[in-house]
Amino acid sequence: MHISKFFCYFAAMKNQKMYEADDKLISIIRDNYNILQSLGSFGINLGFGDKTVREVCEDEGVDTYTFLAVVNFTINGYRDSDDADRLSVHTLMKYLRASHDYYLGFQLPFIRRELADALDPDNSLAALILKLYDEYARQIQLHMKYEERMVFPYVESLLMGRTTPGYDIETFSKHHGQTDQKLRELKQIIIKYLPGDPLRNNQLSATLYDIYNNEEWLAQHAEVEDHIFIPAIRRLEQRSKQSDVSAKISSMISQAPTNNEALSDREKDVIISVVQGMSNKEIADHLCISVNTVITHRRNIARKLQIHSPAGLTIYAIVNNLVDISSVKL
């Protein structure tokens, strides 16, 4: 790295600050006014005085850790790779729903009115520019409505312990991308081709500034979904899958015939080795016994449990706490 670039990079990293629960919220806003829109998405209203982040979040029923995860990510691009278990999916859902309401209900109509007022109705390009904006707005509406129709109900089902066959967050992730191509076209057309009008130039420049901010907000919204929301839902899916498997295992065991003949400690060791995917030879080497002895143990295990397959032994081992379900590849 060139030395001047290195020092610029070091200075930028040095100036970054990771905000914490005991920081005053007003201080974060003073340093980063662009998070004001995020407050409304979390349901946090202005007028919180000198309260800390923790105090404000507790007052508003917002998970503090999740709020800070989003704030630190949007400010610094930082995300803890191990935070998926700690994130509140309920708070993320509240944030995303409110973000949609803000964008569709306020931001898109506001900019359209602003753009219409800034354009000269006698200019032949004005109608085309508004049409391009309407196409962009329609594209965003379809994208967000898809999330509200498919993704949000899916996540709510997961939170209630129900799975949805044929759909997962990976399906959404693969089709989730930027939808701002028409917005970029709109900016270029206004800047390059719209004839200058001294009476409208200031208003049009202000509108362009809002369009740029709008584009930045949308990109930030997509980044939060990609790097915070989707990983949190992947983890929720994993937990739901494990719970579903555990329930099925318990049901199978409760219906299985009981056998009063207990397993020996050595037979339990053999079962654990089978679950770990070892061959008879590997089990023999691992337990320091002969292959014939391993075969005898497996024959006795099958007779006592009436279970002959490795999959069946895996189920038995999980239910009887010989192995932990999280260590088993399901």
Side-chain angles (χ1 to χ4, degrees):
M1 180 183 291
H2 192 278
I3 188 166
S4 61
K5 289 184 178 179
F6 171 81
F7 280 114
C8 287
Y9 173 79
F10 178 78
M13 292 299 294
K14 187 175 181 181
N15 289 332
Q16 284 186 343
K17 178 179 179 181
M18 301 308 299
Y19 294 100
E20 299 178 354
D22 292 327
D23 289 326
K24 291 184 178 181
L25 186 53
I26 185 64
S27 299
I28 301 179
I29 295 173
R30 188 165 51 238
D31 295 343
N32 311 275
Y33 68 88
N34 57 328
I35 73 161
L36 278 169
Q37 291 174 332
S38 296
L39 297 184
S41 295
F42 280 107
I44 295 175
N45 297 315
L46 302 178
F48 40 75
D50 289 320
K51 290 182 179 179
T52 65
V53 171
R54 190 195 318 277
E55 291 170 335
V56 174
C57 286
E58 288 176 352
D59 288 346
E60 302 292 347
V62 174
D63 180 71
T64 304
Y65 182 85
T66 305
F67 173 80
L68 284 170
V70 172
V71 166
N72 282 318
F73 177 77
T74 55
I75 291 173
N76 298 319
Y78 171 83
R79 185 181 70 85
D80 184 351
S81 59
D82 298 323
D83 68 355
D85 279 328
R86 299 180 61 187
L87 292 169
S88 165
V89 176
H90 288 286
T91 292
L92 286 175
M93 289 287 288
K94 179 180 182 181
Y95 170 80
L96 293 176
R97 285 188 184 279
S99 295
H100 284 198
D101 290 343
Y102 163 78
Y103 200 78
L104 298 179
F106 172 77
Q107 187 73 352
L108 285 177
F110 172 80
I111 290 182
R112 194 192 190 284
R113 290 193 300 271
E114 194 177 22
L115 186 59
D117 290 341
L119 293 171
D120 183 354
D122 296 328
N123 189 315
S124 58
L125 289 179
L128 293 175
I129 288 174
L130 286 175
K131 181 180 179 182
L132 185 61
Y133 180 82
D134 289 341
E135 290 175 356
Y136 158 75
R138 177 64 177 164
Q139 189 179 30
I140 297 298
Q141 287 170 347
L142 289 174
H143 175 77
M144 290 188 171
K145 291 300 182 183
Y146 166 80
E147 293 182 14
E148 294 172 5
R149 187 178 70 255
M150 296 294 294
V151 182
F152 292 174
Y154 168 71
V155 173
E156 288 168 350
S157 294
L158 284 177
L159 289 170
M160 292 186 289
R162 299 198 302 262
T163 57
T164 304
Y167 191 86
D168 56 27
I169 201 63
E170 207 62 40
T171 304
F172 167 65
S173 178
K174 289 176 181 177
H175 297 89
H176 185 238
Q178 292 290 347
T179 54
D180 57 358
Q181 181 179 352
K182 284 187 171 60
L183 196 62
R184 287 196 295 270
E185 292 178 10
L186 178 67
K187 292 184 304 182
Q188 292 179 30
I189 288 172
I190 292 175
I191 294 172
K192 289 183 177 181
Y193 305 118
L194 197 64
D197 182 346
L199 297 177
R200 296 176 180 271
N201 190 67
N202 289 340
Q203 190 174 2
L204 193 57
S205 296
T207 302
L208 270 174
Y209 183 80
D210 285 343
I211 290 174
Y212 272 100
N213 283 337
N214 176 80
E215 184 180 28
E216 183 179 343
W217 183 93
L218 188 65
Q220 182 185 95
H221 175 80
E223 289 290 305
V224 169
E225 288 188 324
D226 285 340
H227 297 284
I228 296 181
F229 177 67
I230 290 176
I233 304 310
R234 284 197 186 107
R235 184 65 189 120
L236 184 61
E237 286 176 336
Q238 291 172 1
R239 291 200 301 268
S240 178
K241 181 180 178 181
Q242 288 180 352
S243 297
D244 186 51
V245 170
S246 297
K248 290 179 179 178
I249 288 173
S250 298
S251 176
M252 291 170 63
I253 293 300
S254 66
Q255 297 172 13
T258 58
N259 193 308
N260 293 326
E261 192 171 357
L263 294 175
S264 68
D265 289 339
R266 181 59 80 192
E267 286 167 345
K268 292 177 182 178
D269 292 336
V270 170
I271 291 176
I272 294 171
S273 300
V274 170
V275 171
Q276 292 172 345
M278 296 185 189
S279 66
N280 286 346
K281 177 66 169 61
E282 290 170 332
I283 295 173
D285 293 341
H286 177 65
L287 298 179
C288 299
I289 56 179
S290 69
V291 173
N292 286 337
T293 302
V294 172
I295 293 173
T296 299
H297 282 316
R298 294 192 67 167
R299 188 181 298 117
N300 290 336
I301 290 168
R303 175 179 56 79
K304 292 179 180 180
L305 301 181
Q306 294 299 303
I307 297 174
H308 301 269
S309 67
L313 290 176
T314 300
I315 292 173
Y316 175 86
I318 292 172
V319 173
N320 288 277
N321 297 317
L322 299 183
V323 296
D324 188 88
I325 190 172
S326 62
S327 67
V328 178
K329 186 175 181 180
L330 300 174

